[in-house]
């Protein structure tokens, strides 16, 4: 089983729709969580951290469910510019060393 | 600030050749990492460094060497290129919060 799993998609949704992705992680010792965005043929860029209480940044909402070991990303009122691949990232500290694991990404296309 | 820079952007090698991928950052970050990204797979960690003079292996270190003589620079050396090393290589740096990774634009490497 992969440490971090995402539905690769693709998700095709119309502009203005709400779309949500989930990501599951296998290591219960994981400590911090992030969503990154990667445009085609570009480098990943940090979108937002995911806090235990959930957090919102404009149209984006991230939530963490430690009991079920998953994180989610919700995009409201989607824009054409939201088309990208969204990477789930989990940071686990083991014996003093941090380990960052990336999911394979969920591809999203927003259609006009 | 230039952020994280990588050179070259593209490279074609023949099997058995060696080369060095350059990475530099001007943000005074302690952590630097090298990843490879292959289709259908998440970013995989090759080597990382927690500070000048300190390096360690990641998930897929075989065939690669690194050194960190300064805070700014973190070159990745391919010792004897193999077709399996055809990939996109990303260098990243981060402050103490490891999940906040700043990526360079990537190097697309093809090994024939």
């Amino acid at each position: 089983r992969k440490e971090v799993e995402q539905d690769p998609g693709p998700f095709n949704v119309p502009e203005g729709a709400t779309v949500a992705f989930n990501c599951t992680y296998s290591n219960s010792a994981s400590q911090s969580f992030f969503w990154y965005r990667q445009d085609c043929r570009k480098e990943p860029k940090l979108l937002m951290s995911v806090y235990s209480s959930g957090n919102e940044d404009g149209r984006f909402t991230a939530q963490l469910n430690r009991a079920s070991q998953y994180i989610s990303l919700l995009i409201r009122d989607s824009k054409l510019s939201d088309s990208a691949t969204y990477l789930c990232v989990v940071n686990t500290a083991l014996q003093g060393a941090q380990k960052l694991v990336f999911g394979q990404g969920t591809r999203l296309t927003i259609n006009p | 600030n230039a952020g994280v820079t990588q050179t070259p952007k593209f490279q074609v090698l023949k099997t058995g050749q060696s080369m060095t991928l350059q990475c530099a950052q001007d943000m005074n970050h302690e952590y630097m990492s090298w990843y490879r990204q292959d289709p259908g797979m998440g970013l995989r960690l090759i080597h990382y460094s927690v500070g000048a003079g300190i390096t360690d292996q990641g998930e897929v270190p075989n065939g690669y060497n690194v050194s960190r003589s300064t805070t700014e620079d973190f070159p990745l050396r391919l010792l004897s290129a193999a077709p399996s090393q055809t990939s996109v290589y990303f260098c990243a740096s981060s402050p103490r919060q490891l999940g906040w990774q700043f990526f360079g634009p990537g190097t697309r490497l093809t090994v024939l």
Side-chain angles (χ1 to χ4, degrees), chain A residues 32 34 36 38 41-44 46 49 87 91 98 100 102-104, chain B residues 31 35 37 40-43 90 97-101 103-105 108:
Chain A
S32 53
F34 308 87
Y36 278 70
Q38 186 173 23
R41 300 181 73 83
K42 297 288 188 180
E43 72 273 22
L46 178 64
S49 302
L87 308 176
N91 186 13
Q98 293 192 58
L100 205 61
F102 286 76
Q104 68 173 351
Chain B
Y31 288 91
Y35 295 88
Q37 187 173 39
M41 306 186 74
L43 286 155
F90 289 103
Q97 172 56 282
L98 184 61
W100 297 349
Q101 300 258 312
F103 285 85
R108 295 184 175 275

Side-chain angles (χ1 to χ4, degrees), chain A residues 35-76:
Chain A
W35 283 103
Y36 278 70
R37 170 196 169 122
Q38 186 173 23
D39 293 304
C40 187
R41 300 181 73 83
K42 297 288 188 180
E43 72 273 22
K45 292 183 179 179
L46 178 64
L47 179 64
M48 59 196 303
S49 302
V50 186
Y51 302 119
S52 298
S53 55
N55 49 300
E56 189 174 305
D57 183 3
R59 298 180 293 108
F60 297 82
T61 300
Q63 292 194 316
L64 167 64
N65 185 318
R66 286 192 182 272
S68 300
Q69 295 184 202
Y70 76 84
I71 67 173
S72 64
L73 178 67
L74 180 79
I75 305 174
R76 292 183 300 277

Side-chain angles (χ1 to χ4, degrees), chain A residues 9-38:
Chain A
F11 285 57
N12 291 286
V13 301
E15 191 175 9
T18 295
V19 60
F21 315 129
N22 279 348
C23 163
T24 59
Y25 60 96
S26 61
N27 192 333
S28 60
S30 298
Q31 296 184 334
S32 53
F33 309 87
F34 308 87
W35 283 103
Y36 278 70
R37 170 196 169 122
Q38 186 173 23

Side-chain angles (χ1 to χ4, degrees), chain B residues 26-46:
Chain B
D26 62 359
M27 297 173 282
N28 201 32
H29 286 165
E30 295 179 10
Y31 288 91
M32 294 188 76
S33 309
W34 275 103
Y35 295 88
R36 60 178 289 172
Q37 187 173 39
D38 302 293
M41 306 186 74
L43 286 155
R44 292 184 292 168
L45 182 64
I46 304 171

Side-chain angles (χ1 to χ4, degrees), chain B residues 87-102:
Chain B
S87 187
V88 180
Y89 291 84
F90 289 103
C91 177
S93 74
S94 60
R96 287 185 175 273
Q97 172 56 282
L98 184 61
W100 297 349
Q101 300 258 312
F102 293 80

